[in-house]
Amino acid sequence: MPPRPMAQTELFEDAESTPLPPLQQDVQIQLQQQMVQWMQAVALAINEEERDEQDHG
């Protein structure tokens, strides 16, 4: 695995924390639902990759 660029390390480690503004409840609910759908899609893709690797192995 290649080493991470220093700029990336600095981006995350030296960044100042800025509080996020509160979101309206309907926006929060919609974002949560979209996050669940995204996580399900990622899990499905990972499972399909594992099945493909097992078929070829």
Side-chain angles (χ1 to χ4, degrees), residues 8-35:
Q8 181 180 354
T9 302
E10 290 174 11
L11 175 67
F12 293 104
E13 292 178 0
D14 297 337
E16 291 184 21
S17 168
T18 304
L20 298 173
L23 298 174
Q24 296 175 355
Q25 186 174 5
D26 61 331
V27 174
Q28 287 180 11
I29 292 169
Q30 183 179 6
L31 288 175
Q32 287 174 347
Q33 290 171 345
Q34 290 176 350
M35 182 65 122

